[in-house]
Amino acid sequence: MELSEAIRTRRSVGAVKDESVPRELIERILEAGTWAPTHRRTQPWRFFVLQGEGRTRLASALVDTEAAEKGTSPSAEEREELLASAQKKVSRAPVIIAVGCEPVDEPNIIPLEETLSVGAAIQNMLLEAHALGLGAVWRSGSSCYHPVMAERFGLGPNGQMLGFVHLGYPAREPGEGKRESFETKTVWIDGAED
């Protein structure tokens, strides 16, 4: 698939088949992520591939994070109910790649640039998945960014989870994409200001 076509035809695909994805395709997607731009070559991305029962780790982290956000501690019964609900969410795709950012803590490294590099890595991964005929969606939300989520995946005190890439073979054809013309979002500056 030509790059220009991949960029313009990639869609978020949340409905995927419950069919395993070969490891070599997952590895190609991970490698594509590593070719994102990275300021000072820090390569701050961290990938956690969750398959089968491994997805339970994310379900448990979602429950813990939700409790931390609400400042509550669910009873054992409530936790089991919440875990069952979270397990349904993480079972929607046969593969989930949790993508974290582990910023380099040095004076000349700007933390935002580390985050942006990981965002670019995720975009590379989504494009590679699309080019391989897979469906993918980048999921996030407040629980994703919560410090408890980072802790559950072993990220350091400055680390942060930035998204969960749900992968699988598309269950249906994605819809047509719609974007405003770049012209509505662009200002051309051709000369010196007065």
Side-chain angles (χ1 to χ4, degrees):
M1 178 181 292
E2 185 182 308
L3 177 61
S4 185
E5 177 188 358
I7 290 169
R8 287 162 179 75
T9 60
R10 187 212 60 81
R11 301 286 171 269
S12 293
V13 177
V16 295
K17 298 174 185 173
D18 186 22
E19 183 180 326
S20 65
V21 176
R23 183 180 178 116
E24 54 270 15
L25 297 185
I26 298 168
E27 288 175 349
R28 283 184 59 181
I29 291 164
L30 295 168
E31 192 206 357
T34 68
W35 286 101
T38 170
H39 297 87
R40 300 184 186 273
R41 299 186 191 145
T42 60
Q43 303 180 56
W45 38 77
R46 299 295 181 270
F47 306 122
F48 306 88
V49 180
L50 309 169
Q51 298 174 278
E53 292 301 311
R55 296 171 294 178
T56 301
R57 182 174 185 171
L58 176 56
S60 180
L62 286 168
V63 171
D64 294 342
T65 302
E66 185 178 324
E69 285 179 323
K70 292 179 178 176
T72 62
S73 182
S75 67
E77 185 178 304
E78 290 170 329
R79 180 169 172 70
E80 284 305 311
E81 288 176 19
L82 291 169
L83 193 55
S85 175
Q87 193 66 45
K88 285 181 186 176
K89 289 178 185 175
V90 301
S91 296
R92 292 186 283 196
V95 179
I96 299 173
I97 303 174
V99 184
C101 178
E102 192 70 78
V104 172
D105 189 16
E106 293 178 9
N108 61 344
I109 302 297
I110 300 169
L112 178 57
E113 290 180 347
E114 299 282 83
T115 302
L116 295 171
S117 288
V118 177
I122 294 173
Q123 174 68 350
N124 280 5
M125 295 165 71
L126 295 172
L127 287 169
E128 184 74 17
H130 176 54
L132 293 170
L134 295 168
V137 62
W138 177 358
R139 297 191 188 278
S140 56
S142 62
S143 357
C144 173
Y145 309 125
H146 197 281
V148 168
M149 185 64 73
E151 178 186 298
R152 293 297 182 269
F153 280 89
L155 296 173
N158 295 324
Q160 184 177 34
M161 194 61 69
L162 293 183
F164 308 107
V165 178
H166 290 233
L167 286 173
Y169 291 97
R172 62 178 181 266
E173 285 295 315
E176 194 172 313
K178 295 179 176 81
R179 294 290 191 272
E180 284 186 42
S181 166
F182 71 89
E183 293 165 339
T184 66
K185 307 288 185 183
T186 305
V187 175
W188 295 87
I189 302 171
D190 293 327
E193 291 185 42
D194 294 330

